[in-house]
Amino acid sequence: SSLEQLKSPLLDLEVKGVPALQYFGRSLWQDSSILKDAMAEKDQKFVIVGGKGGVGKTTTSASLALSLAEQGHTVLIVSTDPAHSLGDSICQDVSGGQPVLLEGTDLPVWAMEINPEETMDQLRGLLKKAEESDVSDDKSGNPKIDFGNILQKVQDLKLDELLEEPPPGTDEAIAVAKVVQFAEKPEFEKFTRIVIDTAPTGHTLRLLTLPSFIALSIDKILKFRSVITQLVGQSKGDVAIEKLEELQRQMNDAEVLFRNNEKTEFVIVGIPTYLSIAESGRLVRALEEEEVFVRHIVVNQILNFGVSGENGDQIKRFVTSKMKDQQAALDRLRGDPATSGLDVSEGPVINMEVRGVPALQYFASIIWSENS
């Protein structure tokens, strides 16, 4: 397929804070189809941003949210990435799990971080409650029912695996389902664009198929509980069952939403390296196989100094500024009580991509030598 390529330059300063993100976004998104569509289409839509780790997904997501708001949309940007760099990017605490209006701008942009581990803990709690059954209180006066065979069936369902060792990405899938749930609430109707900043590619690919898996797993639990209810009546797990039924519906809704080309599109983010481009290609093919709409790929960190030697002073200023920025970050690393006691090994920027055994051995000799 032919994707629309959007390129952003490698900047000599870190893109952090609303003004910097707005500046970055205006140059990146100004001629994009996604922004042109936003001028005319005001119905609620979702944009999912994904790609390899460390390629600028959060910066890209935040800049898109601000650019969409400049086109008249009320925007919610949500991070489901466990790393949660959204708050760092916009220089604001948005970790409370509820939308927070962005500071430093009059644009209608709200941001929130959803903790996937917290959502996973909630699921574990629901599953445990759902497995409980108060069978001693048989108000009908009948003898106690032998649950041996039924309990054996529970073991066959292997619910403990879902509780203790869920498939990778389950936490984020539930977090995204929570976003879908939020979007259905009346107070969320004002958001005409919802931008979702996701975890790295591996999680994203699993995110597309996990809602179906989780919904089926919940279905197993519900069927088992239905048998118990028929035998002994209501039990103390019934409230949890209702919540699981709601979660199952949200998962099904999320799966449908991902593949609704009128409501959702995916934006891929990468950098101009072999590894990133290769992973982006795999992601495109996977999205197309899953019938997910994708038309944009953002390539960050482009060097555009030209090929002549006339730009020597510009390159020198760029490198000097970049080194100053890096030194400030290293000083913070060494000054932070949490990291000050650690050995710091510094790896230099290398003018070739580190790929293949010889290159990795060379890099290892720099990083892991006794003098590092």
Side-chain angles (χ1 to χ4, degrees):
S1 64
S2 178
L3 296 182
E4 185 175 317
Q5 294 185 19
L6 308 176
K7 299 177 181 179
S8 70
L10 179 63
L11 302 175
D12 57 347
L13 291 172
E14 193 170 359
V15 181
K16 189 172 63 168
V18 172
L21 288 164
Q22 283 183 280
Y23 171 79
F24 180 82
R26 284 168 186 158
S27 62
L28 177 61
W29 300 106
Q30 60 180 348
D31 296 322
S32 67
S33 297
I34 196 170
L35 219 58
K36 291 176 183 176
D37 290 349
M39 297 177 188
E41 299 173 356
K42 300 302 179 183
D43 294 338
Q44 188 179 75
K45 292 192 175 183
F46 293 76
V47 182
I48 303 174
V49 181
K52 186 176 173 64
V55 297
K57 290 189 302 298
T58 300
T59 298
T60 302
S61 300
S63 71
L64 175 59
L66 289 161
S67 296
L68 290 169
E70 289 177 342
Q71 298 303 322
H73 285 275
T74 300
V75 185
L76 173 65
I77 176 170
V78 184
S79 171
T80 61
D81 186 347
H84 282 329
S85 54
L86 177 59
D88 294 331
S89 179
I90 61 177
C91 300
Q92 188 175 342
D93 183 9
V94 292
S95 60
Q98 293 293 327
V100 177
L101 182 63
L102 251 61
E103 300 171 352
T105 178
D106 294 329
L107 292 172
V109 181
W110 278 255
M112 63 185 290
E113 292 176 339
I114 295 179
N115 189 330
E117 185 55 37
E118 285 184 6
T119 59
M120 195 63 220
D121 287 342
Q122 291 172 6
L123 174 61
R124 290 190 182 101
L126 288 177
L127 291 176
K128 287 178 180 177
K129 288 180 181 178
E131 289 185 309
E132 296 174 356
S133 183
D134 191 356
V135 300
S136 62
D137 186 15
D138 186 356
K139 295 182 175 62
S140 66
N142 295 327
K144 289 185 179 179
I145 299 169
D146 180 8
F147 279 84
N149 292 332
I150 297 177
L151 293 177
Q152 181 60 49
K153 290 180 180 179
V154 174
Q155 294 176 351
D156 293 340
L157 292 178
K158 298 181 179 179
L159 300 182
D160 58 324
E161 292 182 5
L162 187 61
L163 282 168
E164 302 302 331
E165 296 183 13
T170 299
D171 50 358
E172 192 177 13
I174 295 172
V176 171
K178 191 172 183 179
V179 176
V180 176
Q181 173 198 13
F182 282 155
E184 295 174 346
K185 294 182 177 180
E187 61 266 34
F188 280 73
E189 290 179 355
K190 64 183 178 184
F191 298 118
T192 54
R193 289 295 183 273
I194 298 175
V195 180
I196 303 177
D197 175 34
T198 67
T201 303
H203 281 253
T204 303
L205 294 177
R206 288 187 290 264
L207 186 62
L208 299 175
T209 55
L210 271 172
S212 176
F213 168 80
I214 295 171
L216 287 173
S217 299
I218 293 174
D219 189 56
K220 290 181 179 181
I221 300 169
L222 296 177
K223 286 178 179 178
F224 165 70
R225 291 287 298 136
S226 176
V227 173
I228 293 181
T229 301
Q230 291 174 20
L231 293 173
V232 299
Q234 297 222 335
S235 69
K236 61 185 178 183
D238 286 336
V239 174
I241 290 298
E242 292 176 5
K243 291 183 178 179
L244 280 175
E245 289 174 337
E246 176 64 16
L247 177 59
Q248 183 185 37
R249 185 190 66 79
Q250 292 168 14
M251 285 294 167
N252 289 327
D253 288 349
E255 185 177 24
V256 171
L257 180 68
F258 288 159
R259 292 160 179 80
N260 184 340
N261 294 353
E262 299 298 319
K263 291 274 291 183
T264 306
E265 74 170 287
F266 203 101
V267 173
I268 298 173
V269 184
I271 55 176
T273 66
Y274 178 89
L275 294 176
S276 176
I277 296 302
E279 188 155 337
S280 296
R282 288 192 292 271
L283 181 54
V284 171
R285 289 188 289 273
L287 291 171
E288 290 177 343
E289 287 176 3
E290 294 293 334
E291 300 181 342
V292 176
F293 179 44
V294 55
R295 57 176 168 170
H296 293 95
I297 180 166
V298 175
V299 184
N300 289 324
Q301 301 181 19
I302 297 287
L303 288 171
N304 55 1
F305 293 117
V307 294
S308 68
E310 300 175 357
N311 297 318
D313 289 342
Q314 181 186 3
I315 294 173
K316 186 176 180 180
R317 288 194 299 271
F318 176 90
V319 172
T320 300
S321 177
K322 200 71 177 174
M323 289 176 66
K324 184 178 179 181
D325 204 30
Q326 287 185 351
Q327 191 56 53
L330 289 170
D331 290 343
R332 180 175 180 177
L333 179 70
R334 294 187 173 95
D336 189 328
T339 55
S340 60
L342 302 177
D343 292 333
V344 178
S345 298
E346 298 181 11
V349 174
I350 298 176
N351 62 352
M352 295 182 69
E353 192 167 356
V354 180
R355 186 163 59 93
V357 173
L360 290 166
Q361 286 179 309
Y362 169 72
F363 188 72
S365 70
I366 300 173
I367 294 293
W368 305 112
S369 67
E370 294 182 0
N371 297 324
S372 63

